[in-house]
């Protein structure tokens, strides 16, 4: 069966030599399927055997029909943000424990990818957030987030105070350690540890989850996907805004953090037997009730 993926990019966890052997094994397999193989230029720096063209992320976005990411969820988050504007589908292969985003096992990756190249896969589209910080009516920072945008107090700082508005309407003022604005993808990350709800990734929703609020009545809320969330800083101490715990920016009093849905989406491919609920059970350690004896 001919695959619709004619050019595939391989991307490994940065500065991790352990990915070289499985990466080359995967490259040889793809070549046997008459697939053109590209290699991310940062990954190529770890590979002594220069078999494949080393290209930038933008070139991958333009040339690749599919990108395969070897690493953990953190690597996948980084690549998803970079390739989302190009709409390149992603497959995640985890070196150790299976992740929420990197759900293919490195031990069975060739067999699983073979089936996927034959068309046996499921596709998911995941919403992203766009965050912008304005100061004195000027934009001074912006970033994309697949998991979440978080406003947090710095290490050793006191509680921060801020005002939250949704679609221009005042919602509440909050004293807390911070606020997480999460996508369904991010609902099983930082937001979950702060007591937020788990949202199925097929939903287009945004969760607002306070972090250690001073008033216990401040609970997580879920809003529509096109909501515009504004966070106006009143007392910042050493507050920062984070995008996927990656990009960050120091905040000052009167800064405004604006979070809205990005026009870009991340496209993830899974094996045809992928089950979100099975993954939750395995990752979160859920167990079923014992069956009653017949």
């Amino acid at each position: 069966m001919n695959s619709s993926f004619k050019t595939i990019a391989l991307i490994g966890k940065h500065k991790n030599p352990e990915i070289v052997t499985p990466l080359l094994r995967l490259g040889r397999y793809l070549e046997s399927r008459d697939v053109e193989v590209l290699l991310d230029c940062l990954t190529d720096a770890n590979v002594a055997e220069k078999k494949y063209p080393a290209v930038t992320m933008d070139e991958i976005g333009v040339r690749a029909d599919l990108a395969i990411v070897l690493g953990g969820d953190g690597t996948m988050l980084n690549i998803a943000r970079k390739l989302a504007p190009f709409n390149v589908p992603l497959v995640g292969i985890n070196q150790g424990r299976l992740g929420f985003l990197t759900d293919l096992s490195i031990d069975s990756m060739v067999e699983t990818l073979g089936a996927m190249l034959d068309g046996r896969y499921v596709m998911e589209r995941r919403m992203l957030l766009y965050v912008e910080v304005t100061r004195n009516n000027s934009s001074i920072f912006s970033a994309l987030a697949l998991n979440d945008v978080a406003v947090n107090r710095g290490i050793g700082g006191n509680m921060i105070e801020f005002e939250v508005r949704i679609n221009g309407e005042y919602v509440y003022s909050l004293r807390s350690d911070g606020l997480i604005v999460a996508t369904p993808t991010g609902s099983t990350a930082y937001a979950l540890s702060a007591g937020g709800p788990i949202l199925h990734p097929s939903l287009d929703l945004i969760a607002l989850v306070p972090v250690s609020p001073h008033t216990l009545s401040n609970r997580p809320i879920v809003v529509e996907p096109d909501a515009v969330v504004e966070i106006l800083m009143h007392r910042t101490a050493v507050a920062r805004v984070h995008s996927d715990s990656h990009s960050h920016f120091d905040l000052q009093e009167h800064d405004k953090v604006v979070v809205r849905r990005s026009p870009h989406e991340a496209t993830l491919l899974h094996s045809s037997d992928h089950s979100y609920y099975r993954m939750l059970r395995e990752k979160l350690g859920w167990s079923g009730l014992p069956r009653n004896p017949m």
Side-chain angles (χ1 to χ4, degrees):
M1 181 182 295
N2 292 326
S3 171
S4 60
F5 306 116
K6 304 298 184 183
T7 301
I8 296 179
L10 301 180
I11 306 169
K13 184 177 181 181
H14 187 44
K15 294 182 179 179
N16 183 357
E18 295 179 3
I19 59 96
V20 174
T21 297
L23 183 143
L24 291 175
R25 179 158 62 94
L26 190 54
R28 289 191 294 270
Y29 172 73
L30 293 175
E31 284 183 304
S32 75
R33 297 280 306 241
D34 295 324
V35 172
E36 180 186 8
V37 179
L38 306 176
L39 194 59
D40 162 55
C41 57
L42 294 179
T43 305
D44 179 70
N46 292 321
V47 180
E49 187 178 345
K50 305 298 182 183
K51 290 191 61 178
Y52 309 113
V55 296
T56 65
M57 203 61 63
D58 284 353
E59 289 176 292
I60 289 174
V62 172
R63 296 176 58 182
D65 303 310
L66 176 70
I68 300 174
V69 181
L70 287 82
D73 280 357
T75 304
M76 182 64 113
L77 283 171
N78 183 36
I79 302 306
R81 288 192 303 268
K82 292 178 179 178
L83 290 182
F86 300 97
N87 199 31
V88 176
L90 304 172
V91 171
I93 299 174
N94 201 298
Q95 292 173 269
R97 295 182 302 168
L98 299 184
F100 286 104
L101 299 175
T102 50
D103 58 342
L104 270 62
S105 167
I106 202 167
D107 296 326
S108 59
M109 64 179 182
V110 170
E111 295 81 2
T112 306
L113 284 169
M116 295 176 73
L117 293 179
D118 289 337
R120 296 194 294 275
Y121 62 82
V122 293
M123 178 185 294
E124 283 186 340
R125 293 195 178 274
R126 304 285 186 98
M127 66 180 293
L128 276 77
L129 298 175
Y130 174 77
V131 57
E132 182 178 30
V133 179
T134 61
R135 181 178 297 163
N136 298 323
N137 295 319
S138 297
S139 177
I140 53 177
F141 172 80
S142 64
L144 290 177
L146 176 57
N147 265 353
D148 50 52
V149 172
V151 173
N152 291 106
R153 69 180 180 90
I155 297 174
N158 297 320
M159 281 187 172
I160 56 178
E161 296 181 10
F162 50 88
E163 174 185 317
V164 176
R165 292 179 177 267
I166 298 175
N167 297 330
E169 180 179 351
Y170 173 78
V171 179
Y172 55 62
S173 295
L174 185 63
R175 291 184 65 218
S176 69
D177 286 350
L179 180 70
I180 306 164
V181 183
T183 66
T185 301
S187 70
T188 52
Y190 183 23
L192 183 62
S193 68
I198 295 176
L199 304 176
H200 193 279
S202 65
L203 300 173
D204 285 341
L205 296 169
I206 299 173
L208 278 66
V209 183
V211 181
S212 301
H214 183 261
T215 302
L216 293 180
S217 61
N218 285 115
R219 311 308 300 165
I221 60 173
V222 177
V223 298
E224 69 272 22
D226 295 322
V228 178
V229 180
E230 296 175 296
I231 305 167
L232 179 61
M233 306 306 300
H234 290 321
R235 190 176 75 175
T236 60
V238 283
R240 276 184 167 185
V241 59
H242 300 264
S243 165
D244 285 346
S245 301
H246 184 264
S247 302
H248 57 81
F249 185 80
D250 292 331
L251 297 171
Q252 298 179 7
E253 284 188 29
H254 309 304
D255 283 353
K256 182 187 290 186
V257 180
V258 183
V259 184
R260 54 168 52 90
R261 181 179 188 165
S262 167
H264 306 299
E265 294 179 318
T267 303
L268 305 183
L269 303 187
H270 306 285
S271 62
S272 57
D273 64 348
H274 172 73
S275 166
Y276 178 72
Y277 298 111
R278 182 177 67 235
M279 180 271 297
L280 284 181
R281 287 197 306 271
E282 293 174 356
K283 291 294 292 181
L284 300 179
W286 292 349
S287 60
L289 294 174
R291 288 185 175 182
N292 293 325
M294 296 297 292

